[in-house]
Amino acid sequence: MAPFGRIYTYPNNYRVQRAQAIAAINGLTIETVPDFQIGVTNRTPEFLAKFPLGKVPAFESGDGSFVLTEGQAIARYAAESGPKADQLCGKDVKTRALIEQWSCFAEQDLASNLTPPLLMCLAKFIPYDEAKYEQHVAAFERGAKAVEAALQGGKQFLVGEQLTLADVMVAGVLFLAGKFVMDKEMRKDLPLVEAYLKRVMDVPEMKEAFGAVELCETRVKGE
């Protein structure tokens, strides 16, 4: 049986791990295209014929009839394409809106502020700038505290009583942040976020896609 789809991506891309976890929850399989090289494969005429902007991750359906880019869109497509769609995406318009709100938050508030410090300190794709680094880390922390506030009152998940797309989207970013930026000092003010991250990542499909949670003692810094 052909897989639900395949993704062109570089290794350990949390946006892909989220989509693969969601697909697995829905009983679907998303494979990664082997031998993909960022900056090489996505600049070939064959790739650009399918994905004109050359962006990754890039999704192609199992039969090749449907293509898609943008991690958030790929994740939602996987969430809506299987028997757990109501759980993952919501049964009513208000629940769906809340799930979409958190999905957007994951990209616009968390990921957008986590990425620059990692590009400065790990990938070194951009020069290290102490002021910008601190600005992005502070903005990320504000976002993480918003998650902390949302979990008050014994809430186990962000929307409703079951794991949804919102949790996968948010926890996927927190998983990466926990390795490099959301350090022990920051986590002192985020006990519910830490417990939430471990809880979501203990879901078998999440654990299979992401691996074990790793929490850093001190955040990465540049030179």
Side-chain angles (χ1 to χ4, degrees), residues 94-109:
K94 289 182 179 179
T95 302
R96 290 195 295 271
L98 287 171
I99 291 170
E100 184 68 11
Q101 171 187 277
W102 281 110
S103 298
C104 292
F105 168 86
E107 298 302 283
Q108 297 170 13
D109 289 81

Side-chain angles (χ1 to χ4, degrees), residues 99-172:
I99 291 170
E100 184 68 11
Q101 171 187 277
W102 281 110
S103 298
C104 292
F105 168 86
E107 298 302 283
Q108 297 170 13
D109 289 81
L110 296 180
S112 66
N113 286 301
L114 174 64
T115 301
L118 300 185
L119 291 179
M120 290 180 194
C121 302
L122 297 179
K124 301 187 186 300
F125 285 163
I126 56 178
Y128 181 72
D129 182 308
E130 180 76 15
K132 289 182 179 179
Y133 173 91
E134 295 295 344
Q135 179 182 354
H136 283 295
V137 169
F140 172 84
E141 186 171 9
R142 285 195 299 272
K145 287 181 177 178
V147 179
E148 181 78 12
L151 293 169
Q152 297 290 329
K155 288 186 64 177
Q156 300 294 296
F157 302 103
L158 292 172
V159 182
E161 303 299 323
Q162 299 183 85
L163 179 109
T164 69
L165 176 62
D167 301 299
V168 179
M169 297 297 287
V170 170

Side-chain angles (χ1 to χ4, degrees), residues 24 45 52 72 80 88 96-97 123 132 146-147 156 180 201 221:
Q72 187 174 344
E80 292 186 346
L88 291 167
R96 290 195 295 271
K132 289 182 179 179
V147 179
Q156 300 294 296
F180 302 110
M201 287 299 168
K221 290 294 293 284

Side-chain angles (χ1 to χ4, degrees), residues 1-21:
M1 182 178 177
F4 173 67
R6 48 192 164 269
I7 286 186
Y8 298 81
T9 185
Y10 50 85
N12 300 316
N13 184 341
Y14 74 91
R15 290 185 169 91
V16 171
Q17 291 167 317
R18 292 186 307 196
Q20 289 176 316

